[in-house]
Amino acid sequence: MKAAAFDYLRAATIEEAAEASAGANTAVLAGGQSLVPLLNMRLARPSLLVDINHLTDLSYLRRDNGNLVIGAMTRHRAAETSALAGQDVPLLTAALGHVGHVSIRNRGTVGGSLAHADPAAELPAVAVALDASLRAQSAHGVRDIAARDFFVGPNRTALRPGELLVSVSFPVLQAGFSVQELAFRGQDLALVLVVAAVTVEDGHCTQARIAVGGAGPTPIRATSVEQALVGRALTDALITEAAAELSCDPPDSIHAPASYRREMATVLTRRAIRTAVHP
Ligand code: FAD
C-alpha cells in the first residue's frame, strides 16, 4: 500500500519547522522508521509532511551542567556508539542497543522515538526512569517538560501543535544498569520491558531508578520497587521482595493476555535489579 497524497516541506530552520507544524493535520518527519509505515498503511494521513532531516543543528550529544544533552535529530546509532553517552548514561546506551535492527537505528532518531511515545519503546522508559527533561520549541519560545509529564498515552505526548521536540537531557548517572525485555524475536518491540539503574555502596542500595514499558498506556516508574530497595542491604531475598511490589495494569493484547504481561513485568523487574547489581 502507498501513502495518501500529502504536501511536503523540507524545513531549513527550526523556526520554519515549528511554524509549519502548527497547522492542522501536519506531521513532522524525522527518521521515518515509525511514521513512514503508518503513512503507507494509511493509519496516518497528514495533509502536510514537515521534513526536519536537514536541521543538522539538532544532531549532537554534549555534556552540560551535569546532564547529557542529546539533540532530537541525533540518530539512534550515533547515540548508541557515542563514547560520551556510554560514559555518562550507560543505561541509555544499553537501551539503544535494543531498538530494532542496526538499519533502523541508522535512520531512527532519539527525538522521533520519544515523540512517537510507544509505551513499549526503550527510550521513553529510560527517560522516565532517569527523570529526563525534554525541550520543546515553538513560535512562542522554549519550554522544558519532565519525562513523567511528557508521555500522556499510547503515542500521545504533551507536545502542543507547533511544538517541535528539540532535545532531551539525561542526568549523568554512572550506576549499575540493566535492560530486560520479553519479545518474540530479539529486535522486535517488547511485550514488556524493564530498565534499571541501581547504585550500591557497602552492600546497601543508595539509589534505584526503575521503569517498566509495555505494561500500561505510558512507561511506568516503579517507585514502590525503588522505595523497597533504597537504604537496605541488597540481598537476593530483598530483590525478590522489592520486585513483588511492582504495580502495573497492562492491557490484553493479541500477543499476550494482561495476566501474563503483568507476571512477566515482575519477573523482568527482579532480573533487571539482579543484573544491575551483579552484571
Ligand atoms: P519518525 O518515524 O519520523 O516519527 C515518529 C513520530 O514522531 C511521528 O509522529 C513524528 O511526527 C514525530 N516526531 C519525530 N520527530 C519529532 C520531533 N523532533 N518533534 C516532534 N515530533 C516528532 N522502536 C523502539 O523503540 N524499539 C524497538 O524495538 C523498535 N523496533 C522497530 C522495528 C521495526 C521493524 C521498525 C520499522 C521500527 C522499530 N522501532 C522500534 C521504531 C523506531 O525506533 C523509530 O525510529 C522510532 O520509533 C521513531 O523515530 P524516527 O526518527 O524514525 O521518527
Side-chain angles (χ1 to χ4, degrees):
M1 212 164 162
K2 293 291 171 206
F6 51 80
D7 290 328
Y8 172 85
L9 173 75
R10 178 195 282 186
T13 63
I14 298 174
E15 291 73 19
E16 185 187 16
E19 192 185 333
S21 66
N25 200 21
T26 60
V28 170
L29 175 68
Q33 298 305 296
S34 295
L35 182 58
V36 170
L38 291 174
L39 292 175
N40 284 343
M41 289 185 279
R42 300 201 174 193
L43 294 171
R45 298 175 73 122
S47 48
L48 173 66
L49 211 56
V50 181
D51 185 350
I52 59 171
N53 278 274
H54 294 265
L55 303 184
T56 49
D57 46 349
L58 288 184
S59 180
Y60 60 85
L61 293 105
R62 62 174 171 247
R63 195 181 285 157
D64 182 18
N65 209 14
N67 292 296
L68 174 71
V69 186
I70 307 181
M73 281 305 293
T74 305
R75 308 286 168 183
H76 293 311
R77 187 71 176 151
E80 180 190 357
T81 55
S82 153
L84 180 66
Q87 184 185 324
D88 282 0
V89 193
L91 174 63
L92 174 67
T93 307
L96 280 160
H98 288 262
V99 176
H101 307 265
V102 171
S103 53
I104 288 159
R105 302 202 290 273
N106 280 335
R107 285 299 301 169
T109 64
V110 169
S113 196
L114 293 164
H116 188 58
D118 189 313
E122 288 81 5
L123 296 197
V126 174
V128 166
L130 300 187
D131 286 324
S133 174
L134 296 97
R135 178 158 291 184
Q137 184 170 334
S138 71
H140 307 293
V142 161
R143 71 180 177 118
D144 292 323
I145 309 164
R148 65 177 169 277
D149 301 323
F150 185 79
F151 304 103
V152 298
N155 305 110
R156 287 181 47 234
T157 70
L159 287 174
R160 299 170 184 147
E163 274 188 333
L164 210 61
L165 179 62
V166 288
S167 66
V168 55
S169 294
F170 293 93
V172 170
L173 180 65
Q174 285 125 355
F177 60 89
S178 180
V179 177
Q180 298 290 327
E181 297 198 2
L182 174 72
F184 281 120
R185 296 169 303 182
Q187 306 303 320
D188 283 354
L189 264 173
L191 287 174
V192 187
L193 69 90
V194 177
V195 300
V198 182
T199 310
V200 186
E201 284 169 30
D202 295 329
H204 286 67
C205 175
T206 54
Q207 185 178 216
R209 293 167 167 274
I210 301 166
V212 182
T218 63
I220 297 162
R221 183 77 178 265
T223 41
S224 51
V225 180
E226 295 173 359
Q227 282 163 7
L229 291 170
V230 173
R232 300 182 66 189
L234 260 181
T235 60
D236 219 42
L238 175 71
I239 292 171
T240 303
E241 187 191 313
E245 292 293 322
L246 180 69
S247 160
C248 63
D249 191 17
D252 281 319
S253 81
I254 52 166
H255 299 299
S259 57
Y260 180 63
R261 296 171 89 185
R262 193 178 307 114
E263 173 67 20
M264 285 311 296
T266 302
V267 170
L268 295 181
T269 300
R270 193 165 60 228
R271 231 176 253 171
I273 301 165
R274 272 196 196 128
T275 316
V277 174
H278 306 294

